[in-house]
Each structure stands twice: as structure tokens, then as C-alpha cells.
Amino acid sequence: MRECLSIHVGQAGVQIGDVCWELYCLEHGIHPDGFVLDSKKDQLETTKMKYTDASFDSFFCETRAGTHVPRALFIDLEPTVIDGIRTGKYRSLFHPEQLISGKEDAANNYARGHYSVGSKIIDLVLERIRKLAKQCSGLQGFLIFRSFGGGTGSGFTSLLMEQLSIQYGRKTKLEFSVYPAPRMSSAVVEPYNSILTTHFTLEHSDCTFMVDNEALYDICHYKLGVVRPSYTIINRLIGQAVSSITASLRFEGALNVDLMEFQTNLVPYPRIHFPMTAFAPIISADNAYHRDFSVSDITAACFEFSNQLVKCDPRLGKYMACCLLYRGDVVPKDVNEAIAAMKSRTSVQFVDWCPTGFKVGINNQPLTVMPGGELAKVQRAVCMLSNTTAVAEAWARLNHKFDLMYAKRAFLHWYTREGMEEEEFSEAREDLAALEKDYEEVGQSSDGEGENECEVPRSLFNTLYSQLVEFP
């Protein structure tokens, strides 16, 4: 068995986790109390699911009583959001030890999450992770859900990932992160928190899948017709993307993709590990009966700006790698034709040093939607993870916001009084400038006069060299 542990940190991580596990339960026929559907009416359906559910134990642990408990841990430094799970519909699904909350909030402050407040519960969290890992026969890795901008999501996650690297160094660590949106923000100090956490976790995270709230709001507004979407609605959209990414880990399929394959195919250099997420088709339940989507349609839709879950225009950069994860009524022949059609488009440009470009996953389990939800149930869907140099635009945007505040040393005292040094800000900013430069360099052409320009960027070379020294 290749188990995965899901760790949900901070308000954003916990709320996304709540939606994800609700969706997983729906997909696998698990009741809110942890028991699998067992009524006579459901026996036939359960028999049909026998083989497709053969690998869902990688996400659920079956107890002696016959209940299925998620392999997950929910962490927040203040109790409000986790109390919602403790008293909610799925309160019986989780063991009480899987829900960890403190009494003092990080207050949107990276320093509180990483140093003063977060350090008080890190030992308890690591002990609970150790218990969950002990229940696994072959732990494959960790899926970490958080936001870049929050105090707990940025600060405590940085502290936690450092410890995970020390104690579980060879295990894969994939992040699902809510990235700061260009024009909307829930915190003034979001640029500080985001730059600090990116710098600190750069060497500890293997791959970080990014989404942002502004892109999700626009999708809900223009594609689903929801004028004022709630966090629940946008989290359900993220949940569908996460479900598609993890489907091959939970269901048997024609062409499965495991955790290690994601990073092997998407990450050309250790630091260049921030793929963008796209999902298609995104269509409201009201319009579902008027349209039918072919494999070519949904593949093309993933390359459209309006289907990206991050506000970042892929046309401004070049693709280094794409991972297309199909679900439902999809056959390899249609996928090959769709990919060939995309490669022939001038608007879809790949770097010249990556001739193949595409990694494909096919899973026959169709999309499952929440009853009464906004999304329509469709025959086939695809989630695309694309590592593109266009992400440099998002880093440049974030760096500029950081510079505006840091030039005046605004809000800095809130961080220094919690134990941080001012030099940490300068180091983090320099590292992000290097990351921005790395993306620029890997996108440069290796033809003609620019032959030497496509050498490994110096910061990437230093990372690779240090890893070779560490693991001879």
C-alpha cells in the first residue's frame, strides 16, 4: 500500500480540507460516520465499485469496527474553524486527535506562526503525524494544504515542513497553496508572509500547486453564474481539482500517476516547482444539458486563461512541462489526438529544451459533484498542472508589493517583537529575486547566439550541488 497523509494548516487549509474529505467520502460511498454504504439498495453499486475502490485505503484507514478514518491532520492556532468540523456533519469521521487547535491566533503574522505561538504546538503536531505514519505500511508522502498569506498558513507551515524534511527526508511533500491574488487580499501584510514562507519552504517542498482567490471568484462569476460566491463555493472548485489530482492515488485507472511521478515530470530543477492549476469543463448545472464536451474540447479549454485557477497569463511565457489528468469516459487515442492538436497551436509554446512536454494520466472514475452544488456532473473532465515561465509574472507582482512596504519598514515591528531579525526579510527578498531570475533564464532559447544562455541558472546549480554533496 502506498499511503498519503494530508495535512491541513490554517483557516484556508482546514476549510479546503473539510470540502475535500466531504468529496472523497461521496466518491467512495462513505457515510459521514465512516461506514461504507451497506443498504440493500446500495449493494449492487458497492459491488461495481469493488475494483475501482481497491486503492482508496491509501487515503482512508479502516478500523476494527469497520469505519474508515481519513489519513489526515487538521491544524490551526485558533479554535474557531476546527470547532466547525468538531461539531459539523462529518464530526464522527475524524478521530479527535486529528483535530489540533491552539488558543492563541497567529494574527496574520508569519513570526507568530513560526516562532512565538507556533513553536508551542509543533511537538504535539509531530507526535500526531508520527502516529498517523505508524499506521501506514508504505508511506508515500505528504499533501499539505495552506495559504501563503495567513499567519498560520505561512509561519507554522514553514516550521512544520522543516521538521518533516528532517524526520521524513526522502518522502514526497506536495503543497496545495492559495497564492496572493493581484487585486484582492484578506490581509495587509500578505506580501511579507508570502515572501517569507516561500523563501523558507523553497528547499523543503517538492512541488507546490498554486491557486488564487481572484481567479476562482472570476470563474464562479463568469462560468457558473454565481454573483457573490462564498468560500464554500470556491473551496468546492479547489476540491474538484484536488480530487482529480489524487484520483489516480485512490482509484485504479488505465494510466495512473503517483506522487513521485508529479515531481519527476513537472519539476525540471529543484527551485522551479510552482505549477499552475487549470480545470475543465467548468459549467453550471443549469447549462449541462445543452452542451457535450469532447476530449479535444476540455484539453483546449485548460490552455485558456479563463480556466486557470491562478491569475497568470500563460501566453506571456513558455511551458516547461504539462501534466494532463483525465477522468471519466476517456480513451488514449482521443488524448493523443488532443495533445497533437495543442502542440500545433502557435499560442501554446514550449521551451526548446523539453521536446516531449506532456505527462498524461487517465482514470475511468467520472467526476462526482456535490448534490445541489453549482458544478454540473459531466462525462469527462481534465485537470492540468503546468510548469510555465509565465509564473515569473506572479512572483514579480508579489515582489513589487513587498518592496513598497519594506522600503518604509512598514508593519515590521510586529514581526521583530515576535523574535524575527530584520535580516530575514532581506534574505527572503533576495531569494525571491533569484527565483524570478531563474524562471527568466530557463525560458531563454538555446538556439544560435543564446547557446550559453540556457545553462543551469547559478542558484539552481548551487541547489543541485548541495544535494549531491548531501547524498553522495
Side-chain angles (χ1 to χ4, degrees), residues 343-405:
K343 282 184 174 181
S344 66
R345 287 191 179 188
T346 54
S347 59
V348 179
Q349 291 192 332
F350 277 79
V351 290
D352 55 4
W353 48 262
C354 190
T356 311
F358 287 92
K359 166 70 180 172
V360 175
I362 300 175
N363 197 280
N364 298 326
Q365 184 69 18
L367 198 71
T368 302
V369 296
M370 294 289 183
E374 290 71 24
L375 268 179
K377 186 172 177 63
V378 291
Q379 281 187 303
R380 57 188 70 86
V382 62
C383 181
M384 183 176 82
L385 306 169
S386 58
N387 202 345
T388 167
T389 61
V391 169
E393 173 202 345
W395 294 123
R397 200 166 56 216
L398 189 59
N399 288 340
H400 176 64
K401 290 179 181 178
F402 178 96
D403 291 342
L404 291 174
M405 289 202 300

Side-chain angles (χ1 to χ4, degrees), residues 234-367:
I234 64 172
N235 285 340
R236 282 180 177 176
L237 198 53
I238 297 172
Q240 288 296 347
V242 173
S243 174
S244 295
I245 293 168
T246 60
S248 62
L249 305 170
R250 298 179 289 113
F251 298 99
E252 299 297 335
L255 201 58
N256 276 7
V257 182
D258 70 10
L259 287 190
M260 188 64 79
E261 284 183 66
F262 283 124
Q263 63 187 93
T264 303
N265 289 278
L266 281 171
V267 183
Y269 303 105
R271 288 165 62 88
I272 308 292
H273 65 243
F274 296 93
M276 296 199 304
T277 312
F279 187 77
I282 300 173
I283 184 169
S284 67
D286 296 336
N287 297 328
Y289 300 104
H290 306 292
R291 300 183 66 181
D292 185 34
F293 296 92
S294 66
V295 173
S296 293
D297 291 336
I298 60 175
T299 305
C302 272
F303 287 88
E304 294 173 5
F305 180 54
S306 60
N307 281 69
Q308 301 279 346
L309 304 190
V310 185
K311 274 288 178 187
C312 185
D313 193 344
R315 293 167 297 188
L316 300 178
K318 295 179 180 178
Y319 290 97
M320 290 171 276
C322 280
C323 185
L324 291 166
L325 303 168
Y326 294 91
R327 295 184 72 168
D329 183 19
V330 177
V331 294
K333 178 178 177 290
D334 293 341
V335 172
N336 293 335
E337 289 175 358
I339 290 174
M342 294 314 301
K343 282 184 174 181
S344 66
R345 287 191 179 188
T346 54
S347 59
V348 179
Q349 291 192 332
F350 277 79
V351 290
D352 55 4
W353 48 262
C354 190
T356 311
F358 287 92
K359 166 70 180 172
V360 175
I362 300 175
N363 197 280
N364 298 326
Q365 184 69 18
L367 198 71

Side-chain angles (χ1 to χ4, degrees), residues 2 138-142 168-173 206 260 263:
R2 301 281 284 161
L139 178 61
Q140 187 175 178
F142 300 93
Y168 305 91
R170 307 298 288 179
K171 303 299 181 186
T172 300
K173 294 182 288 295
D206 294 308
M260 188 64 79
Q263 63 187 93

Side-chain angles (χ1 to χ4, degrees), residues 50-65:
K50 183 178 178 182
Y51 295 103
T52 56
D53 277 355
S55 62
F56 86 103
D57 282 345
S58 59
F59 274 65
F60 289 87
C61 175
E62 188 172 1
T63 65
R64 291 179 182 176

Side-chain angles (χ1 to χ4, degrees), residues 154-289:
S154 64
F156 186 77
T157 305
S158 300
L159 180 62
L160 176 62
M161 290 191 70
E162 182 185 28
Q163 293 301 316
L164 291 179
S165 291
I166 294 169
Q167 299 185 22
Y168 305 91
R170 307 298 288 179
K171 303 299 181 186
T172 300
K173 294 182 288 295
L174 303 185
E175 285 187 76
F176 295 89
S177 298
V178 179
Y179 186 83
R183 292 179 300 173
M184 61 171 63
S185 172
S186 58
V188 174
V189 291
E190 194 175 64
Y192 280 167
N193 295 336
S194 302
I195 296 287
L196 290 166
T197 193
T198 304
H199 162 65
F200 201 89
T201 59
L202 205 53
E203 63 184 74
H204 301 303
S205 176
D206 294 308
C207 199
T208 302
F209 305 121
M210 300 199 298
V211 299
D212 80 50
N213 284 338
E214 188 174 333
L216 294 165
Y217 273 119
D218 284 350
I219 287 171
C220 290
H221 183 70
Y222 295 111
K223 288 186 172 288
L224 299 180
V226 182
V227 180
R228 300 179 67 181
S230 63
Y231 276 134
T232 302
I233 294 172
I234 64 172
N235 285 340
R236 282 180 177 176
L237 198 53
I238 297 172
Q240 288 296 347
V242 173
S243 174
S244 295
I245 293 168
T246 60
S248 62
L249 305 170
R250 298 179 289 113
F251 298 99
E252 299 297 335
L255 201 58
N256 276 7
V257 182
D258 70 10
L259 287 190
M260 188 64 79
E261 284 183 66
F262 283 124
Q263 63 187 93
T264 303
N265 289 278
L266 281 171
V267 183
Y269 303 105
R271 288 165 62 88
I272 308 292
H273 65 243
F274 296 93
M276 296 199 304
T277 312
F279 187 77
I282 300 173
I283 184 169
S284 67
D286 296 336
N287 297 328
Y289 300 104

